[in-house]
Amino acid sequence: MTQEKAAETIKAWTMDWNRFAHEGLAVRLDKEQQEILSSVQHNQMTSVASGTARGKDFVTAVASICFLYLTPKWNEAGELIGNTKVALTAPTDRQIKNIMMPEIARIFNRARKNGLGLPGRLTTHDIRTDNEEWFLTGFKADEYNHEAWSGFHAVNTMFAVTEASGISDDTFSAIEGNLQGNSRLLLVFNPNTSFGYAAKSQKSHRFNKFRLSSLTAPNVIEKENVIAGQVDYNWVVDKVQTWCTPITADEVKAEFDDFEFEGQWYRPEDLFRIKVLGQFPKIADDALIPMQWIEAANERWKKGRADQKERYLLGVDVAGMGRDNSVFCSRQGNYVIKFDTRNSGGRADHMKVAGEAKAILDANTNSYALIDTIGEGAGVYSRLEELGYGQRALSCKYSEAARDIYGGDLSDITEQYRFANMRAYLFWAVRDWLDPANKTGAMLPPSDKLLQQATEIKWKFRSDGKIIIEPKEDIIKRLGYSTDEFDALANTFYPNIQHEMNWAAIRNAFR
């Protein structure tokens, strides 16, 4: 190969890591693994929850080698001007020495057999080049030794974390301190627990997220071993029979991760959910909304559209008291059109928010703004009244009693439950709307922030038997930010809208 041809090939590989993996490293990745590799190429943070033997460690090794060899830069004199450092880490040294580095070694040696002379010397824990600022190394993650991460400042830096659910949040804080410049963070793990940094990454807007299910593995789909080392069909069949319960189609519930396999519906136990589906353990009984309900509503939204005959409801959550964002949620019938977020720098700007709400009301006939008037929302509501929108701007107080226009207790869709206050009723109304069993056809635009907020909210029964939602401060403590998007959505379910509209008309008639 001529020098010019080699330069063209390297340029093509740099532009397409999957091409490098196929042509240069001579490895075979399935479609989902290719998507993960592409994500690492183009996104700073990637999270992969996986079933057993689904190839998560293999694609991690491929991504690490791609980053090691395709990101350094040299000048015309052959001097390294853009160095690259790759760190592989795991909860134990055994996982590095016996799992990750052997994967690295197999790929490294296969590439050389394929005629690609990769620079560097392979050891039990490293690939070391002649330049001390260009290397790959693997070591155990030590939650008590954050200084271990301090040497990883480079022009190009990658952290590949396997079994990430077993690593402390403090360690991830130290790793994130190095995510500067052209940096990558790749997390791969079996979702053994729904807590911690790795679990949160599957809901975070900061990460590009993947889930590797054994049911979609090529060996399982083809019913023969087309990719060596990956999970095979017979193993999955055995686990379906051992860890699942057959159910009928009318018993299917999305929140239980029920699935169809070879014409039969099954309900998985937690072991199957984790080790085969790559899903988290069954949701806690006190979680308000399961992730699966949100994801199903997202899929319906992609195929649906708003019914223009339905009333246009604008839920408004107003920033203030240190919060940065005001949020507008637009809903028509069962279709949430969009969430609009306005950054206010932590200051309540009543005039601006009221002006934007007015513009939305003016642009949409048969529209109404529903505003939580406890706190900063009161100023926005008052301003809209001053502007003559008293009939279309409605006060939605979270602290008020959950009662209908006749003074009776509001109930859930089944008429079984009562609520401690309007906030609890509204939050539960969102839950009822999203519950697939109620067949509302709820449609939500994909939003990682809303997903994280909705699935973090907890509820319980009060001593009088009424449902209450945990304090907002407790949710913020776990999330690190306020539930602005969810609050704006909940406002659109204010139950007394027609009653409030009628009273507003009467009040205005006597002014």
Side-chain angles (χ1 to χ4, degrees):
M1 182 184 296
T2 66
Q3 188 172 354
E4 182 179 350
K5 180 65 174 177
E8 290 178 0
T9 300
I10 293 172
K11 182 178 179 180
W13 288 347
T14 303
M15 297 295 292
D16 184 352
W17 289 12
N18 273 295
R19 183 173 175 178
F20 174 62
H22 176 66
E23 296 177 354
L25 302 181
V27 299
R28 177 178 178 181
L29 300 176
D30 64 43
K31 183 175 182 296
E32 289 171 294
Q33 289 174 322
Q34 290 174 28
E35 291 172 353
I36 292 168
L37 181 58
S38 181
S39 174
V40 176
Q41 178 179 353
H42 298 291
N43 298 280
Q44 185 181 51
M45 305 172 83
T46 301
S47 170
V48 182
S50 175
T52 300
R54 191 57 183 82
K56 68 181 189 303
D57 292 321
F58 181 70
V59 72
T60 299
V62 173
S64 300
I65 289 179
C66 286
F67 192 87
L68 178 67
Y69 289 109
L70 298 178
T71 60
K73 302 293 182 185
W74 288 266
N75 62 18
E76 293 182 358
E79 298 168 327
L80 184 64
I81 58 173
N83 64 327
T84 293
K85 298 179 181 179
V86 179
L88 307 178
T89 193
T92 68
D93 186 66
R94 182 194 66 81
Q95 289 163 324
I96 292 295
K97 186 176 180 179
N98 297 342
I99 299 176
M100 284 309 304
M101 286 309 300
E103 295 281 17
I104 293 287
R106 276 191 288 271
I107 296 167
F108 184 88
N109 292 328
R110 183 182 300 174
R112 287 194 164 178
K113 288 181 181 178
N114 191 46
L116 181 64
L118 295 176
R121 301 175 302 281
L122 186 66
T123 73
T124 57
H125 283 81
D126 308 272
I127 295 177
R128 291 285 171 178
T129 71
D130 292 335
N131 192 307
E132 63 181 13
E133 291 297 308
W134 177 28
F135 61 82
L136 176 151
T137 186
F139 57 90
K140 170 187 172 183
D142 188 346
E143 64 182 298
Y144 302 109
N145 183 18
H146 292 177
E147 294 179 359
W149 305 100
S150 61
F152 281 90
H153 297 295
V155 175
N156 309 293
T157 310
M158 178 174 176
F159 300 92
V161 187
T162 188
E163 301 304 336
S165 56
I167 293 177
S168 73
D169 286 9
D170 285 346
T171 296
F172 282 113
S173 295
I175 291 174
E176 284 210 22
N178 292 281
L179 295 182
Q180 303 174 33
N182 182 39
S183 59
R184 298 292 188 274
L185 174 58
L186 171 60
L187 310 183
V188 296
F189 58 96
N190 298 117
N192 300 309
T193 175
S194 56
F195 300 100
Y197 185 95
K200 288 180 180 179
S201 72
Q202 282 286 304
K203 298 187 231 178
S204 173
H205 65 281
R206 302 168 66 209
F207 282 84
N208 205 26
K209 299 171 286 293
F210 298 88
R211 183 181 300 126
L212 294 176
S213 167
S214 297
L215 296 182
T216 61
N219 295 346
V220 176
I221 293 174
E222 299 296 330
K223 297 184 180 180
E224 60 177 306
N225 290 340
V226 294
I227 296 183
Q230 277 209 30
V231 61
D232 62 55
Y233 171 76
N234 292 329
W235 183 86
V236 168
V237 169
D238 177 67
K239 300 316 171 195
V240 168
Q241 296 172 351
T242 306
W243 292 340
C244 300
T245 302
I247 58 174
T248 60
D250 58 2
E251 294 177 301
V252 172
K253 292 187 176 182
E255 64 268 32
F256 292 154
D257 294 310
D258 295 339
F259 66 97
E260 188 177 16
F261 184 72
E262 298 188 336
Q264 171 65 52
W265 282 96
Y266 294 92
R267 177 159 298 163
E269 297 176 5
D270 267 353
L271 269 175
F272 190 92
R273 187 177 287 106
I274 296 166
K275 294 187 176 297
V276 180
L277 299 180
Q279 294 276 12
F280 291 104
K282 182 179 174 293
I283 60 166
D285 292 335
D286 62 349
L288 182 71
I289 297 173
M291 182 187 297
Q292 295 89 337
W293 294 4
I294 301 283
E295 292 173 340
N298 293 159
E299 291 303 310
R300 288 191 293 268
W301 184 88
K302 294 174 184 177
K303 302 172 184 176
R305 64 177 60 184
D307 184 348
Q308 301 300 322
K309 297 176 182 177
E310 292 282 355
R311 181 183 294 147
Y312 189 108
L313 300 175
L314 179 67
V316 184
D317 185 71
V318 184
M321 301 178 67
R323 290 187 294 122
D324 290 332
N325 299 323
S326 291
V327 178
F328 300 85
C329 173
S330 301
R331 179 169 71 89
Q332 277 189 289
N334 288 318
Y335 188 91
V336 171
I337 301 168
K338 60 181 177 178
F339 291 90
D340 280 326
T341 301
R342 304 287 188 269
N343 190 288
S344 65
R347 296 178 298 172
D349 191 342
H350 301 151
M351 299 302 102
K352 182 178 180 181
V353 175
E356 291 178 334
K358 174 184 179 299
I360 295 172
L361 293 176
D362 288 343
N364 298 277
T365 58
N366 192 28
S367 58
Y368 303 89
L370 300 108
I371 308 163
D372 178 12
T373 51
I374 297 296
E376 302 299 340
V380 174
Y381 173 72
S382 297
R383 178 56 179 163
L384 286 171
E385 278 200 314
E386 291 173 2
L387 294 171
Y389 288 79
Q391 296 185 47
R392 298 170 67 190
L394 310 179
S395 172
C396 170
K397 293 186 176 71
Y398 277 11
S399 60
E400 69 179 282
R403 295 197 177 96
D404 60 27
I405 60 175
Y406 306 107
D409 286 342
L410 290 164
S411 65
D412 72 313
I413 199 169
T414 67
E415 300 187 352
Q416 296 181 47
Y417 302 138
R418 302 295 184 268
F419 303 93
N421 51 34
M422 186 60 71
R423 177 174 180 257
Y425 171 82
L426 292 175
F427 280 34
W428 200 270
V430 178
R431 173 189 166 98
D432 275 343
W433 178 64
L434 289 169
D435 188 344
N438 295 328
K439 299 180 180 180
T440 65
M443 292 172 277
L444 270 176
S447 166
D448 289 334
K449 277 200 168 183
L450 180 68
L451 173 66
Q452 192 170 29
Q453 292 167 26
T455 55
E456 280 291 333
I457 299 168
K458 301 183 183 301
W459 68 278
K460 66 179 180 180
F461 286 110
R462 210 168 58 173
S463 59
D464 61 0
K466 292 184 177 180
I467 287 172
I468 190 168
I469 303 297
E470 66 176 324
K472 190 168 190 173
E473 294 73 21
D474 291 352
I475 305 171
I476 293 174
K477 196 176 296 183
R478 290 197 303 276
L479 279 176
Y481 61 91
S482 180
T483 56
D484 301 330
E485 282 80 3
F486 190 88
D487 291 354
L489 173 62
N491 289 350
T492 68
F493 288 86
Y494 187 61
N496 297 337
I497 180 170
Q498 192 64 50
H499 174 69
E500 291 294 333
M501 284 161 32
N502 292 340
W503 274 110
I506 292 170
R507 288 196 302 270
N508 288 339
F510 282 94
R511 283 180 175 170

